[in-house]
Amino acid sequence: MIKLVVFDLDNVIINGEGIDEIGKLANVQDKIAEITEQAMNGDIDFETSINERVKLLEGASVEEIKKIADELPLNNGAEETIKVLKDKGYEIAIISGSFDVIADSIKDKLNIDYLFTNSLSEKDGKLTGEVTGPLVSGSKLDVLSDLLKEKDYDLADCIAVGDGANDISMLEGVGYGIAFNAKPKVKEIADVIVEDNDLNDVLTVIEDLDSKVKAKEPEKPEDSKVEAKEPEEAKDSKAENGEDNSSKKEAKDSKKSKKSKKSKLPEPTNFVLADTMDGVKVQKDEKEKLISQIADEREAFNKEAKEQRKIRDELNNSLKENLQKAIEYRDARNEINKDVEANKKKRNDVNEKIKNLEWSSGKRDKVKLENEIKKIDKIIETRVLDIKKENQLVKNANDLRKQLTEVKEDDKVKDEAQELKKESELYHANVVEHSAKAQEAHENMLKYFRKTDEIRTAADEAHKNFIQARKNASAKHEDFKMVLSEIHVINKKLGRNNKPKRQKSNNKGSSPNKRNKEEKEKAEVIFDKFKHGKKLSTEELLLLQKYDIS
């Protein structure tokens, strides 16, 4: 299971070489860039190159360097890639031959877990031209191994991303090495090559790799790691006898063997050469036409995958925006409802005060008398009574009416109750107004939640289409390799008899041997591109056939 992803800094996380930018301060950028290029191509060792470059920086202002560090642009997709990887639970490290004065701000900006760089020596705010650190003479694999020992991780649990020659040890040592916009020597040893200068492509590769690893995990015995452990005494004994280094070398050789095996073309199956040379030539024409068609189909699937990934990412961004709006409306509704409840409480409290005032002002007696009068009047109207009983009820009602006229309310209390009624009406109006606003916010919330569900469905569909297109492209790539393997068989059968003899050239500037060597080197580069899924032109395909490279 992948636990740690390691990145180089220059030209991987940041878009440029930090030391080249510092060189501009001392007006030595051209000299530094030349040495940097040699180091990245592996023409000189890294320790020599870094010491030579740092000497040229003597006297540069540390404050000015810090300003440059803050302005260095990140590569496309850097922030998103690091954030997504951390959200998925990966730990992130940067191991770089660059300098802490540049890398520290990048670590803080991207929330990197581990950072290993060199340090520029300074005095009185100026560089002294000297450099120290674990990556001056040590390799990146050494630094990574120390970290893994501390974390109790295996190299197989790591992915490394780099572009230059000093990344090779690290890319070879880990479970998966990714060459990112890299030099030719780095591409030769990498498990995966990402040509475009976009870290989003690296994110896609890592997600695919991890899904494959997780898919295989249930097949492994749960106690395999325990069985592989040795007693501490045995480990110490091996280290003393030099066997530890030997085992590391064997593991490394095994990994290289695995990589070289992985790069070979498949053996042709169910393919039979024609009986005649003319028939073989016909087969060659047919296979070349077929491989061109397969390459076009593979390219179309790759294009579709890229388009679907773009659609998916745009939909996911839109989903986040709509979800945020829905949450904002939900929060607004909840706040408004708090105001509604507060105004309801105030209105009800005031109404209770009004009720108590009215009863205490004599209204209680007045209401009681009015109710008695209504009761007597109803009896007189609805019942058949003798004259004597009816007269008595009329007299009782008149007496009650006389008492009613004598009941007087307290004017002061009456006025106070009237003011409280106005206050109650105001609170009630607030309840009505805020309830309408809360309802509006609620409806908007529902609208954006529904829209979010629609977008999520569309994004899921785009992701399915992306995965399917990738699978289709991979299948076409396997078909491509199989047909190319068959073409190699045909070429071996045809031999080189059909080639015209080369004429002697009087051009002293370019000998045939030199041209052949250059062509063959070009063909090897083309084949490296083909191994990692790049589309080949007819001219490139013919060049591969010419030198029978497989």
Side-chain angles (χ1 to χ4, degrees):
M1 180 179 177
I2 298 164
K3 300 174 182 177
L4 178 70
V5 183
V6 186
F7 292 89
D8 184 19
L9 181 64
D10 294 334
N11 290 317
V12 177
I13 295 295
I14 61 175
N15 189 7
E17 286 281 345
I19 194 169
D20 291 355
E21 296 303 314
I22 299 173
K24 294 177 182 178
L25 291 175
N27 200 27
V28 292
Q29 63 267 34
D30 292 339
K31 292 180 181 178
I32 286 179
E34 183 181 344
I35 299 172
T36 300
E37 184 68 16
Q38 291 175 334
M40 291 300 98
N41 286 323
D43 297 332
I44 59 174
D45 66 88
F46 185 77
E47 184 177 0
T48 301
S49 75
I50 195 170
N51 283 318
E52 287 183 4
R53 286 179 288 172
V54 171
K55 281 179 185 177
L56 296 171
L57 299 176
E58 184 177 358
S61 167
V62 175
E63 282 302 316
E64 290 297 321
I65 294 172
K66 289 180 179 178
K67 289 179 183 177
I68 288 175
D70 290 336
E71 295 170 0
L72 285 173
L74 297 174
N75 258 328
N76 187 38
E79 289 185 273
E80 180 185 351
T81 297
I82 299 299
K83 183 180 184 305
V84 171
L85 290 176
K86 287 184 70 67
D87 287 346
K88 288 178 175 290
Y90 302 113
E91 293 183 277
I92 307 296
I94 290 177
I95 300 179
S96 171
S98 188
F99 314 109
D100 51 9
V101 69
I102 291 174
D104 284 344
S105 63
I106 303 297
K107 178 180 186 291
D108 294 338
K109 186 184 295 183
L110 299 181
N111 193 24
I112 303 297
D113 297 299
Y114 310 104
L115 175 65
F116 302 93
T117 60
N118 294 316
S119 298
L120 295 170
S121 300
E122 60 177 280
K123 185 177 181 181
D124 299 327
K126 304 288 185 181
L127 297 186
T128 65
E130 297 176 344
V131 59
T132 60
L135 291 152
V136 175
S137 57
S139 73
K140 292 191 176 185
L141 181 60
D142 293 335
V143 173
L144 176 58
S145 296
D146 289 341
L147 173 62
L148 296 181
K149 184 177 180 182
E150 179 184 330
K151 298 293 295 180
D152 195 24
Y153 293 167
D154 294 327
L155 282 167
D157 298 332
C158 302
I159 291 175
V161 185
D163 72 313
N166 65 329
D167 295 310
I168 289 176
S169 65
M170 179 171 68
L171 297 184
E172 282 187 321
V174 298
Y176 295 95
I178 300 175
F180 177 75
N181 194 26
K183 304 298 180 185
K185 285 191 176 181
V186 182
K187 293 179 183 179
E188 289 175 10
I189 58 88
D191 294 295
V192 180
I193 295 176
V194 174
E195 293 285 4
D196 295 335
N197 201 23
D198 186 346
L199 284 168
N200 284 311
D201 292 342
V202 171
L203 176 60
T204 301
V205 169
I206 293 174
E207 289 176 333
D208 288 348
L209 288 174
D210 197 32
S211 64
K212 290 175 183 177
V213 171
K214 288 178 178 176
K216 293 178 182 178
E217 278 181 352
E219 300 171 10
K220 298 179 181 179
E222 292 181 2
D223 58 349
S224 60
K225 188 172 182 181
V226 176
E227 292 175 358
K229 286 188 176 179
E230 300 178 67
E232 292 297 325
E233 295 83 353
K235 289 184 180 178
D236 293 341
S237 174
K238 283 190 176 183
E240 289 170 7
N241 291 303
E243 292 178 13
D244 191 48
N245 290 334
S246 174
S247 64
K248 284 183 180 178
K249 185 176 184 302
E250 288 173 5
K252 192 171 181 179
D253 291 342
S254 173
K255 180 175 177 63
K256 285 184 177 179
S257 173
K258 178 182 167 188
K259 287 183 179 179
S260 63
K261 183 179 178 183
K262 183 168 56 179
S263 300
K264 287 183 179 179
L265 288 173
E267 291 295 328
T269 56
N270 302 324
F271 175 66
V272 180
L273 281 167
D275 296 331
T276 66
M277 294 302 289
D278 287 340
V280 173
K281 290 177 182 178
V282 170
Q283 283 182 314
K284 181 176 180 179
D285 292 338
E286 290 173 347
K287 293 298 180 181
E288 287 179 350
K289 183 178 179 181
L290 177 60
I291 202 170
S292 178
Q293 177 187 336
I294 292 172
D296 290 340
E297 291 171 351
R298 180 191 62 189
E299 187 63 23
F301 283 127
N302 280 329
K303 184 178 179 182
E304 182 186 354
K306 195 168 186 178
E307 289 172 353
Q308 290 297 325
R309 183 180 68 181
K310 182 180 179 183
I311 292 170
R312 178 201 66 189
D313 293 346
E314 289 174 351
L315 286 168
N316 281 333
N317 289 334
S318 177
L319 186 147
K320 291 176 185 176
E321 292 171 3
N322 279 272
L323 183 60
Q324 183 60 36
K325 287 181 179 178
I327 291 171
E328 287 172 1
Y329 277 115
R330 182 197 64 189
D331 293 343
R333 179 204 63 185
N334 292 343
E335 288 300 315
I336 296 169
N337 279 334
K338 289 179 183 178
D339 291 336
V340 171
E341 292 303 316
N343 278 280
K344 278 184 179 180
K345 186 176 185 307
K346 289 177 181 178
R347 180 195 64 187
N348 294 340
D349 290 345
V350 170
N351 286 340
E352 190 64 28
K353 287 181 182 179
I354 293 170
K355 183 178 178 181
N356 293 335
L357 279 174
E358 287 178 338
W359 286 130
S360 64
S361 68
K363 188 169 183 179
R364 184 192 300 272
D365 295 335
K366 188 175 180 181
V367 170
K368 185 178 179 181
L369 290 170
E370 287 173 345
N371 288 336
E372 287 294 330
I373 293 169
K374 287 178 183 178
K375 185 177 177 181
I376 293 171
D377 287 342
K378 188 173 182 180
I379 292 172
I380 293 171
E381 290 173 3
T382 58
R383 294 185 185 178
V384 178
L385 305 169
D386 59 58
I387 190 64
K388 185 177 179 181
K389 193 169 185 179
E390 184 176 349
N391 288 338
Q392 183 60 45
L393 288 173
V394 170
K395 181 179 181 301
N396 291 343
N398 289 335
D399 289 341
L400 291 171
R401 288 188 178 91
K402 185 177 179 182
Q403 291 179 36
L404 184 61
T405 58
E406 293 173 355
V407 175
K408 293 183 179 180
E409 293 185 53
D410 188 324
D411 290 338
K412 183 179 179 181
V413 174
K414 186 178 179 181
D415 291 340
E416 186 179 349
Q418 203 62 33
E419 289 299 320
L420 287 173
K421 283 181 181 179
K422 291 179 182 178
E423 189 177 345
S424 174
E425 289 170 359
L426 178 62
Y427 288 136
H428 182 70
N430 288 340
V431 168
V432 173
E433 179 185 354
H434 290 142
S435 294
K437 289 181 179 179
Q439 183 62 30
E440 182 182 359
H442 180 71
E443 289 172 359
N444 283 327
M445 177 198 73
L446 293 177
K447 179 180 76 173
Y448 279 105
F449 272 132
R450 283 192 291 267
K451 194 172 180 181
T452 297
D453 288 339
E454 293 170 2
I455 294 171
R456 183 180 287 110
T457 300
D460 289 344
E461 184 64 27
H463 182 66
K464 288 178 183 176
N465 293 339
F466 163 71
I467 296 298
Q468 187 59 50
R470 286 287 296 270
K471 288 180 179 178
N472 292 341
S474 296
K476 287 295 176 184
H477 186 59
E478 293 304 313
D479 293 343
F480 186 100
K481 289 194 291 185
M482 181 58 72
V483 176
L484 186 60
S485 180
E486 292 169 354
I487 290 174
H488 282 312
V489 173
I490 292 171
N491 285 340
K492 287 178 182 177
K493 178 69 175 177
L494 290 174
R496 299 180 182 270
N497 295 330
N498 295 326
K499 288 186 181 178
K501 292 183 179 179
R502 288 179 290 194
Q503 297 179 353
K504 291 184 179 180
S505 172
N506 294 323
N507 186 354
K508 295 181 180 179
S510 179
S511 67
N513 286 339
K514 184 177 180 181
R515 285 198 305 273
N516 287 344
K517 182 180 179 183
E518 290 174 351
E519 276 191 349
K520 188 170 183 180
E521 288 175 351
K522 183 179 179 182
E524 287 171 348
V525 172
I526 290 169
F527 185 65
D528 185 67
K529 286 167 58 180
F530 153 72
K531 286 189 297 183
H532 297 90
K534 294 298 179 181
K535 180 180 178 182
L536 300 184
S537 66
T538 303
E539 182 183 349
E540 291 172 330
L541 189 59
L542 292 173
L543 195 59
L544 290 182
Q545 295 170 8
K546 177 179 178 180
Y547 290 99
D548 196 23
I549 293 176
S550 62

